[in-house]
Amino acid sequence: MFFRPPSDQDRTGRITRCACDVASLVSTTPRQMTSAAECDTITRGERDAESDDHHATAWHHGGPTRWGNVNVVDAERRLLANALLDFNNERFVLVSESCIPLYPLPVVHAYLTSSRHSFVGAFDDPSPHGRGRYRAGLAPDVTLSQWRKGAQWFEMDRRLAVFVIADERYYPRFRTECRAPCYVDEHYLPTVLSIEAPERIANRSITLVDWSRGGAHPATFGAADVTEDFLGMLVGKKGNAERCMYNGQPVEVCFLFARKFAPAALPQLLSLSSKIFGY
């Protein structure tokens, strides 16, 4: 989903292709909400740019996305490109169909637009699941000491979003060299933004996930998991609130979204959202 002014609804002549099952894009202008979940959306403007001889960036349209495949990041970049065409959009958040917002839209909007940083997590993981995924073919642009890992669920400002879709130095090399068990969605943004713009990222995600159950994927919450106590814990109303840094100051609001929630959890979420989340 992405937020845009009603007057811009048809301005770019939107073309929608259902080719993405992992992500939707939220661009934070607190106006009309248009759903793009499970669809890879491009505009005629982007299509024309692709055919322009002066437009050097390669855009890949690889069909339905697959977990761990580079075409997931291809889809993310196309979503960013589409949202950037609306100049009212200033902040961009990648979420999935299994994410829920933890606060009302005005709170989310204020948190993001008041931040001096973009929220991209990046850390050095010395294990085989971190540095062990580095590929020598990425050198000299990316060295092992620069290699970073993080969640794919990013939030970024317009300046970084433009950098990502215009990147012709790093992304083509990642696309060629980073193959399983190297996953572009977990390494490209954390690594490249740590190299090019370390002062512009908060080095943390605003999407809460639970890895306590182990395995290759985070926990999925069903209807039985969704209780007042559980949801209250997510927003710090139950138990000890987590603390993090925001604009150089410690705060207790660290996460704006949470995942993964199964479709079966939706009725329970709807029944409790106004009481716990305020929407």
Side-chain angles (χ1 to χ4, degrees):
M1 67 189 80
F2 51 87
F3 299 91
R4 59 191 308 156
S7 60
D8 289 346
Q9 184 70 20
D10 298 315
R11 187 178 68 185
T12 55
R14 169 185 293 255
I15 302 170
T16 302
R17 302 179 307 156
C18 286
C20 174
D21 62 0
V22 298
S24 52
L25 194 69
V26 177
S27 51
T28 57
T29 46
R31 299 169 181 169
Q32 180 171 347
M33 181 176 72
T34 302
S35 177
E38 300 186 20
C39 288
D40 169 22
T41 304
I42 64 173
T43 66
R44 290 194 179 95
E46 182 193 339
R47 181 192 62 185
D48 293 342
E50 290 175 25
S51 62
D52 191 335
D53 290 338
H54 300 290
H55 185 75
T57 300
W59 293 94
H60 302 275
H61 301 281
T65 56
R66 298 185 301 278
W67 181 85
N69 192 288
V70 67
N71 64 9
V72 171
V73 183
D74 292 341
E76 293 173 5
R77 295 175 79 235
R78 292 198 299 273
L79 285 167
L80 272 177
N82 179 66
L84 281 165
L85 290 172
D86 187 334
F87 290 100
N88 291 299
N89 295 335
E90 298 176 359
R91 309 287 298 208
F92 307 86
V93 186
L94 188 74
V95 295
S96 79
E97 76 287 350
S98 64
C99 291
I100 64 167
L102 298 177
Y103 298 92
L105 175 59
V107 175
V108 174
H109 181 266
Y111 192 99
L112 297 181
T113 57
S114 299
S115 174
R116 298 197 299 264
H117 301 92
S118 295
F119 295 94
V120 177
F123 63 96
D124 179 13
D125 179 359
S127 78
H129 303 294
R131 291 189 193 178
R133 296 176 177 177
Y134 175 75
R135 295 294 180 263
L138 293 167
D141 293 312
V142 177
T143 65
L144 178 60
S145 65
Q146 295 171 317
W147 187 245
R148 296 293 183 267
K149 182 180 179 180
Q152 75 177 102
W153 312 108
F154 63 77
E155 186 280 336
M156 64 180 65
D157 62 19
R158 190 173 188 91
R159 179 178 170 184
L160 286 186
V162 170
F163 169 82
V164 169
I165 69 165
D167 175 24
E168 296 174 1
R169 177 183 179 184
Y170 299 100
Y171 189 65
R173 193 174 289 269
F174 267 82
R175 205 175 189 285
T176 301
E177 300 294 336
C178 186
R179 299 302 174 107
C182 175
Y183 301 107
V184 179
D185 61 316
E186 293 185 1
H187 294 284
Y188 168 63
L189 286 179
T191 297
V192 172
L193 295 184
S194 292
I195 295 172
E196 294 290 337
E199 75 287 349
R200 296 187 60 82
I201 60 174
N203 203 25
R204 64 180 178 89
S205 173
I206 51 170
T207 300
L208 177 65
V209 296
D210 178 8
W211 289 98
S212 64
R213 301 179 186 179
H217 303 281
T220 297
F221 305 112
D225 297 301
V226 180
T227 63
E228 286 191 32
D229 285 346
F230 173 71
L231 298 182
M233 181 181 64
L234 296 183
V235 294
K237 294 180 180 179
K238 303 284 186 178
N240 295 323
E242 185 167 339
R243 295 181 69 83
C244 56
M245 299 300 291
Y246 176 82
N247 288 341
Q249 300 296 324
V251 296
E252 292 186 354
V253 176
C254 300
F255 300 103
L256 303 181
F257 304 92
R259 66 188 307 269
K260 301 170 59 175
F261 287 86
L266 181 59
Q268 190 73 350
L269 285 168
L270 291 174
S271 69
L272 294 172
S273 64
S274 60
K275 181 177 183 179
I276 305 299
F277 300 142
Y279 63 81

